[in-house]
Amino acid sequence: MATTKTDPKLALAANGATSKKSKLYEGLTRDQLIQAYRVMYTSRRVDDREILLKRQQKIYFQMSGAGHEGIGVAAGLALKAGYDWFYPYYRDRALCLALGVKPYDMFLQGVGAASDPSSGGRQMPSHWSYPSLHIVTQSSPTGSQILQAVGCAEGGRYFARHPKAAPVPDSSFNDYRQFKNVTFQGDEVTYVSLGDGTSSEGEFWEAMNAAALEKLPVVFCVEDNGYAISVPVEVQTAGGSISRLVSGFPNFHFEEVDGTDPIASYGAFHRAVRHCRGGHGPAFVHAHVIRPYSHSLSDDERLYRPDSERERDAQRDPVTRTQMFLLREGILDEKGINQLEKEVEAELQTAVDLALEALPPAPESITKFVYSPDIDPTSSAFDTQPVAPEVPADGKKPAAKTMADLITTTLRDEMRRDDRIIIFGEDVADCSREEYLKRKLVKGKGGVFKLTFGLQNEFGPDRVFNTPLAEAAIVGRATGMATRGLKPVVEIQFFDYIWPAMMQIRDELSVIRWRSNNGFSCPVVIRVAIGGYLTGGAIYHSQCGESVFTHIPGLRVVFPSNSQDAAGLLRTAIRCDDPVLFLEHKRLYRESFGRAAYPGPDYMIPFGKAKIVHPGTDLTVITYGAVVPRALQAAQKLEREQGVKVELIDLRCLNPFDWDTIAASVAKTNRALVAYEDTLSWGYGAEIAARLADQLFDKLDAPVRRVAAKDVFVAYQPILEDAILPQPNDLFLAMKELSEY
Ligand SMILES: Cc1ncc(C[n+]2csc(CCOP(=O)(O)OP(=O)(O)O)c2C)c(N)n1
Ligand SMILES: [Mg+2]
């Protein structure tokens, strides 16, 4: 651990005694300082312009970077655009300008222009995204970028260690790799910034831990302006100093600096970056800055900060300080300053005029880039036939594999085919202490359900590894890696514990392509063990809740009921270019229902294609997952006892879902029952029932009915579990009643 502290009072003057042309300031030349001042001044004036435009109602929001210009420009000078990677936050205007973003680009986002390079009018201003500069799309939730930055650094390191994974292979089949141009550098650094308040988010600590554990080249920059909106730092951070709190993390280089001083900040950043480039681990730069323009234009800080405090801050204004410094050092005289400022004003005037003329996006464009425009996983390209199973030499039937078997086999097949697939999560490795495996002291675990058993053994610990127990980190890191071109296939151990990752799934993973107007994408696969009927699983090992996720645009949701479908759909999930939530019912993992022979290494099923499990003419039952075998049992009984022929549809894929198959069936049977394991109200079946009522009203001879769990959590005692979850008899009675209606 190394720590450097700069005395804020001394820094700017430190090198300022003479004015020789060749003098360096923490390694910066006089020309670089003039350039730095130009960036800082431009940044401040873009803020001022935006504030004016907002008051004139020509833009719709404003968030300033005022007071943060010193640290921003310093970071920009210490790092390389298009080489290093950047996860900035909204105050990083000066950093973006230093990296090469034009004020015009920023104004385009303010007016919400179609040509806004960050988002095409989809995101607020100061939500930077510039792919060619490696500035990765950011969102508004405070801190959700931090774990992704860690994943980004991991992705770069993976490609540096496994360069053969990077090129797009010659293959007859189009997979996501054809649309990911992977670039990486052996000594690249990932920058991530956040405010002082944001350091209270749990994801910050998960990211710090992961970066320290993996010794990743990430520079964390906390821009501490002393406030999170109106909450002062001593209420936010125990003891008032984030530097003090993080100082125990191993492998870090620490800097604490006056972030209003661009020279001292550059020195700090330079040392931090050197530590990272040298492969020694992450760095932490704690920059003390000011916030002269309130939190945003919607906030008036005079309500909670007295004038005396605001005046004290104003003394440290980075733009005026730097201007004074240049004058004092004789780097620019007054004329030079005036000239520079005039040039900036002229550039901004032109940029504003042009931006105000820019066309808004077309309303019809709203659904563009919800999903990949390049690969359609619902298309016939994903419709392949299973290979004929090998018949054993003794002439017996080919072995019927469980769903668990075929998921493992599919993962193994795909990992052999694609070096970019990596698997991580809690307990997924065979054994983290590799030497036990090597010395054959242990067999290995491979997941609490053993679905990843043997994969670390075959593919090594770079590709299959355990992570800390932190679900947001699993999904956030995967998102960052996928942004770089990897294909993380991560595991959430139980659906019941997916919630810490919810922010990453809903506000990041699913929306990155759309919000960046196709500038970035992150096709991660999240495998999740879900569901009940376990006798003893209780509240926290038995939940469903898939409709929470089918409600998220941009996320594919798959829920197979049998081995062959699991294999075909998992392969589609891995090869496609969208994020996929792959739900695996625990009760079905080793059930005798739905076992099948190995369908071969290229077997795929397109998304959004249902399967008719049992054809019929009298009543349509629409279901999926573990209700499929239960509904089948009920349908067979009804046919045996009453001669009623039920058409049973297994949706297999929940988003997209196969409306055509449902509609064709209900048009024939005129009766529909939707059955699902989740709680009844607001559940997945509600959407199907609503569509049936809306679009097939004329075809229906009976009301659309639902069978689902009671509106309570799943209980431990099996008698209670049985009463809560839909049973074959509940399905039988509902089918019978509906057929008699
Ligand atoms: C997860 C989340 N919670 C709340 C907010 C609302 N919010 C936006 S900025 C902010 C304060 C951030 O303070 P800090 O991290 O210190 O950054 P600063 O704005 O001071 O630079 C809050 C509460 C949000 N965007 N995201
Ligand atoms: Mg703050």
Side-chain angles (χ1 to χ4, degrees):
M1 183 189 93
T3 304
T4 310
K5 270 203 180 196
T6 315
D7 182 337
K9 288 186 289 301
L10 301 179
L12 262 184
N15 296 314
T18 62
S19 60
K20 284 195 197 107
K21 290 260 183 308
S22 57
K23 187 172 165 190
L24 294 178
Y25 301 82
E26 292 279 2
L28 292 175
T29 64
R30 295 157 71 90
D31 280 350
Q32 281 177 303
L33 287 184
I34 297 171
Q35 189 47 34
Y37 178 67
R38 181 184 289 272
V39 166
M40 293 170 70
Y41 182 75
T42 305
S43 181
R44 183 65 61 89
R45 296 301 290 152
V46 173
D47 277 327
D48 294 337
R49 280 295 181 136
E50 281 191 357
I51 289 166
L52 202 64
L53 289 166
K54 170 74 175 79
R55 297 217 160 105
Q56 295 167 340
Q57 299 182 0
K58 289 179 175 159
I59 66 172
Y60 315 97
F61 188 76
Q62 210 279 330
M63 195 80 186
S64 92
H68 294 231
E69 295 94 342
I71 190 69
V73 76
L77 285 166
L79 291 157
K80 295 186 256 186
Y83 184 101
D84 297 314
W85 288 80
F86 300 89
Y87 284 78
Y89 88 118
Y90 47 83
R91 302 255 185 247
D92 279 345
R93 189 187 299 289
L95 167 71
C96 291
L97 291 168
L99 294 175
V101 180
K102 299 280 171 258
Y104 174 57
D105 298 331
M106 296 181 172
F107 292 130
L108 285 175
Q109 194 168 31
V111 300
S115 54
D116 149 35
S118 287
S119 74
R122 290 171 175 188
Q123 288 229 86
M124 290 171 154
S126 301
H127 286 55
W128 329 109
S129 175
Y130 303 98
S132 66
L133 301 172
H134 292 180
I135 299 175
V136 182
T137 171
Q138 65 169 284
S139 59
S140 299
T142 50
S144 53
Q145 74 280 17
I146 316 172
L147 286 164
Q148 292 170 33
V150 170
C152 170
E154 288 179 285
R157 174 186 288 180
Y158 181 87
F159 283 118
R161 287 182 179 168
H162 303 272
K164 280 203 208 118
V168 178
D170 294 331
S171 162
S172 54
F173 181 76
N174 294 346
D175 70 29
Y176 73 96
R177 285 174 291 182
Q178 298 192 307
F179 304 97
K180 276 280 183 198
N181 187 21
V182 172
T183 59
F184 59 96
Q185 311 291 340
D187 65 347
E188 66 178 50
V189 171
T190 300
Y191 163 96
V192 62
S193 62
L194 55 140
D196 47 294
T198 298
S199 69
S200 301
E201 293 283 3
E203 291 192 8
F204 165 74
W205 297 94
E206 293 183 18
M208 292 287 287
N209 188 40
L213 275 167
E214 302 294 328
K215 284 181 88 173
L216 289 166
V218 181
V219 181
F220 294 79
C221 178
V222 172
E223 300 180 22
D224 183 351
N225 54 24
Y227 277 93
I229 309 186
S230 68
V231 183
V233 68
E234 71 274 14
V235 175
Q236 191 74 245
T237 304
S241 165
I242 189 63
S243 277
R244 182 132 46 95
L245 293 192
V246 300
S247 63
F249 276 106
N251 302 323
F252 264 87
H253 173 89
F254 293 103
E255 295 279 348
E256 184 170 2
V257 68
D258 178 357
T260 65
D261 174 346
I263 298 172
S265 297
Y266 175 77
F269 250 97
H270 180 74
R271 291 184 291 274
V273 170
R274 192 173 55 201
H275 176 82
C276 293
R277 284 214 205 287
H280 306 299
F284 187 86
V285 177
H286 179 191
H288 293 278
V289 295
I290 59 164
R291 195 197 65 181
Y293 285 6
S294 292
H295 173 72
S296 73
L297 219 51
S298 322
D299 172 47
D300 179 1
E301 66 175 2
R302 285 171 302 193
L303 296 174
Y304 52 87
R305 296 184 79 187
D307 286 346
S308 54
E309 186 181 306
R310 296 171 60 237
E311 279 155 20
R312 223 176 24 249
D313 265 13
Q315 315 264 314
R316 294 173 57 220
D317 189 295
V319 178
T320 26
R321 269 186 92 179
T322 308
Q323 188 195 97
M324 300 305 284
F325 177 76
L326 295 179
L327 287 168
R328 218 170 46 239
E329 280 289 291
I331 295 172
L332 277 180
D333 57 15
E334 235 170 90
K335 224 173 103 202
I337 298 272
N338 284 341
Q339 176 67 20
L340 180 150
E341 294 182 353
K342 246 171 73 188
E343 285 165 17
V344 170
E345 298 299 344
E347 184 197 353
L348 297 194
Q349 188 58 51
T350 315
V352 168
D353 291 345
L354 278 173
L356 288 175
E357 285 167 16
L359 294 176
E364 313 81 80
S365 69
I366 49 176
T367 52
K368 251 179 123 179
F369 310 131
V370 174
Y371 298 104
S372 170
D374 301 311
I375 296 184
D376 176 6
T378 69
S379 72
S380 59
F382 288 85
D383 197 355
T384 62
Q385 294 308 306
V387 295
E390 273 177 41
V391 180
D394 56 11
K396 284 196 184 139
K397 268 175 73 177
K401 303 286 188 188
T402 63
M403 188 194 272
D405 291 335
L406 286 191
I407 288 173
T408 308
T409 308
T410 306
L411 292 171
R412 186 181 297 116
D413 284 349
E414 290 303 295
M415 288 188 85
R416 286 177 183 164
R417 176 183 176 274
D418 178 357
D419 289 334
R420 293 197 203 169
I421 297 174
I422 48 174
I423 289 183
F424 56 95
E426 294 152 16
D427 301 288
V428 300
D430 286 319
C431 181
S432 287
R433 293 182 175 160
E434 278 260 289
E435 72 273 17
Y436 296 163
L437 282 179
K438 283 198 187 115
R439 289 163 58 200
K440 301 215 175 344
L441 298 178
V442 297
K443 203 167 135 235
K445 184 166 176 75
V448 293
F449 298 103
K450 303 208 168 31
L451 269 74
T452 48
F453 175 71
L455 299 181
Q456 179 196 346
N457 247 321
E458 179 170 345
F459 299 103
D462 279 7
R463 296 188 64 193
V464 185
F465 53 90
N466 289 326
T467 62
L469 205 172
E471 288 75 11
I474 293 169
V475 176
R477 286 164 70 179
T479 302
M481 291 182 201
T483 304
R484 297 294 304 273
L486 285 176
K487 175 65 80 167
V489 181
V490 299
E491 183 176 304
I492 296 291
Q493 201 163 73
F494 290 89
F495 182 86
D496 315 70
Y497 310 128
I498 200 168
W499 311 115
M502 195 62 189
M503 175 81 93
Q504 287 293 334
I505 294 173
R506 188 184 163 96
D507 286 353
E508 298 292 335
L509 180 74
S510 307
V511 72
I512 276 179
R513 189 191 291 278
W514 187 83
R515 78 175 188 225
S516 66
N517 213 14
N518 207 32
F520 292 95
S521 63
C522 46
V524 171
V525 178
I526 307 175
R527 295 181 38 248
V528 191
I530 191 170
Y533 300 109
L534 303 178
T535 55
I539 308 165
Y540 303 106
H541 298 86
S542 309
Q543 283 183 82
C544 282
E546 55 278 8
S547 63
V548 176
F549 295 88
T550 53
H551 194 58
I552 302 176
L555 184 67
R556 310 284 190 182
V557 181
V558 181
F559 200 155
S561 73
N562 60 79
S563 313
Q564 188 168 318
D565 287 355
L569 290 165
L570 181 57
R571 187 164 283 108
T572 301
I574 291 173
R575 295 190 188 180
C576 85
D577 200 22
D578 296 318
V580 181
L581 187 71
F582 193 84
L583 301 172
E584 301 170 3
H585 202 291
K586 300 182 284 278
R587 179 61 202 261
L588 297 177
Y589 271 152
R590 294 182 170 84
E591 195 106 306
S592 43
F593 169 82
R595 293 188 186 192
Y598 172 56
D602 286 306
Y603 178 59
M604 285 179 289
I605 299 172
F607 286 169
K609 300 283 181 288
K611 181 154 111 184
I612 296 179
V613 179
H614 184 274
T617 46
D618 302 331
L619 162 69
T620 301
V621 175
I622 303 136
T623 189
Y624 54 90
V627 181
V628 172
R630 287 160 180 77
L632 182 61
Q633 207 182 317
Q636 285 165 339
K637 184 173 172 207
L638 195 62
E639 186 163 353
R640 255 191 340 264
E641 292 181 3
Q642 316 269 329
V644 174
K645 291 186 167 49
V646 169
E647 180 138 295
L648 178 59
I649 296 176
D650 176 1
L651 288 176
R652 311 196 283 192
C653 185
L654 306 185
N655 184 26
F657 76 97
D658 189 347
W659 173 249
D660 291 348
T661 294
I662 296 172
S665 178
V666 175
K668 179 175 70 180
T669 64
N670 314 113
R671 284 173 166 76
L673 176 73
V674 193
Y676 49 103
E677 182 183 333
D678 199 3
T679 43
L680 178 78
S681 302
W682 322 107
Y684 185 79
E687 175 66 28
I688 310 248
R691 287 222 196 170
L692 285 166
D694 180 16
Q695 293 180 32
L696 289 174
F697 183 72
D698 296 347
K699 305 280 183 202
L700 289 168
D701 289 343
V704 179
R705 288 266 158 83
R706 287 175 293 159
V707 174
K710 305 292 182 299
D711 286 336
V712 292
F713 291 89
V714 179
Y716 169 70
Q717 161 60 246
I719 293 171
L720 298 182
E721 183 183 34
D722 279 359
I724 290 163
L725 295 181
Q727 304 300 327
N729 197 46
D730 301 322
L731 292 155
F732 173 81
L733 293 176
M735 289 178 196
K736 181 166 175 294
E737 202 184 299
L738 204 52
S739 68
E740 288 165 356
Y741 185 92

